[in-house]
Amino acid sequence: GFNELYSLRKKAALFFDRLEEDIFDLYGSNWGGFSHAKGRIEDKLKTLAGYRFSLCFENSIAKGYITEKIFNCFCVGTIPIYLGAPNILDKIPGNCFIDFRDFQSMEELFKHLKQLSEKDYQTYLDNIKVFLNSKEAEAFSQKSFSEALVKVLHVAEVDSIKKFKYL
């Protein structure tokens, strides 16, 4: 589709797979032919925790479409390289992730990652901890999701009762 990100994921995988440095692993199915393909994993969070960075591309670009992908990275201390919701900065501070949109090419991104100091890396991790403990992060909690769902269902129920009343 128009806003799908699978093709860009594949382009990124091709770029990093061809590097001489052995710094890239590729997980999931349908990645045959890639030298760094590791196949499916049993424990996503445990595996993700073993990496400093993760390409964190949503399945598509859509306003407000922010899935668990970025939070999986946050929870295990992996810096996400994010691409997805165009309004991500309205929901999650930019100092918590590397914004893929800031780079003109894969080469430029790679150069940035290689020159990132240990202090800057640690600052990202510190910023993530601050965000996860903030009121803003609560909007992404299971509790908030449940409360929003109950509200929607209640409105739908009240609306159907009104319709029935005036039939």
Side-chain angles (χ1 to χ4, degrees):
F2 175 67
N3 288 326
E4 61 80 29
L5 288 175
Y6 175 77
S7 54
L8 191 59
R9 245 188 237 146
K10 191 169 182 177
K11 184 179 175 185
L14 283 166
F15 171 79
F16 286 103
D17 199 54
R18 291 181 184 142
L19 292 175
E20 286 185 30
E21 294 97 332
D22 188 21
I23 56 161
F24 178 75
D25 291 330
L26 186 58
Y27 291 95
S29 48
N30 302 322
W31 294 106
F34 287 85
S35 61
H36 292 91
K38 303 288 185 192
R40 297 186 65 85
I41 53 176
E42 284 188 35
D43 188 333
K44 189 176 190 175
L45 293 178
K46 187 176 177 186
T47 302
L48 194 55
Y51 294 87
R52 290 171 62 89
F53 303 100
S54 175
L55 288 175
C56 181
F57 293 3
E58 300 289 5
N59 293 325
S60 62
I61 296 174
K63 189 175 181 189
Y65 180 65
I66 302 167
T67 67
E68 80 291 347
K69 290 176 175 69
I70 195 166
F71 290 94
N72 287 344
C73 291
F74 288 169
C75 289
V76 298
T78 300
I79 310 296
I81 302 163
Y82 184 81
L83 183 62
N87 64 329
I88 185 77
L89 295 173
D90 295 344
K91 307 291 182 185
I92 299 174
N95 64 5
C96 294
F97 63 94
I98 295 170
D99 194 332
F100 185 81
R101 299 172 298 181
D102 292 343
F103 303 93
Q104 298 297 312
S105 64
M106 298 293 172
E107 290 85 356
E108 194 180 313
L109 169 64
F110 180 54
K111 186 177 174 186
H112 174 75
L113 296 177
K114 281 184 20 176
Q115 62 82 39
L116 199 68
S117 72
E118 195 58 40
K119 183 176 183 257
D120 289 342
Y121 180 81
Q122 191 57 52
T123 299
Y124 275 110
L125 295 178
D126 294 343
N127 293 336
I128 288 167
K129 283 179 192 160
V130 168
F131 171 68
L132 288 178
N133 290 309
S134 73
K135 188 150 178 59
E136 290 75 24
E138 283 179 26
F140 294 96
S141 70
Q142 285 182 330
K143 182 176 182 263
S144 288
F145 176 77
S146 300
E147 288 169 359
L149 188 60
V150 167
K151 280 181 191 170
V152 168
L153 293 174
H154 179 71
V155 168
E157 181 185 16
V158 169
D159 193 42
S160 65
I161 290 168
K162 282 181 189 171
K163 284 180 185 166
F164 181 73
K165 233 179 191 176
Y166 302 109
L167 204 65

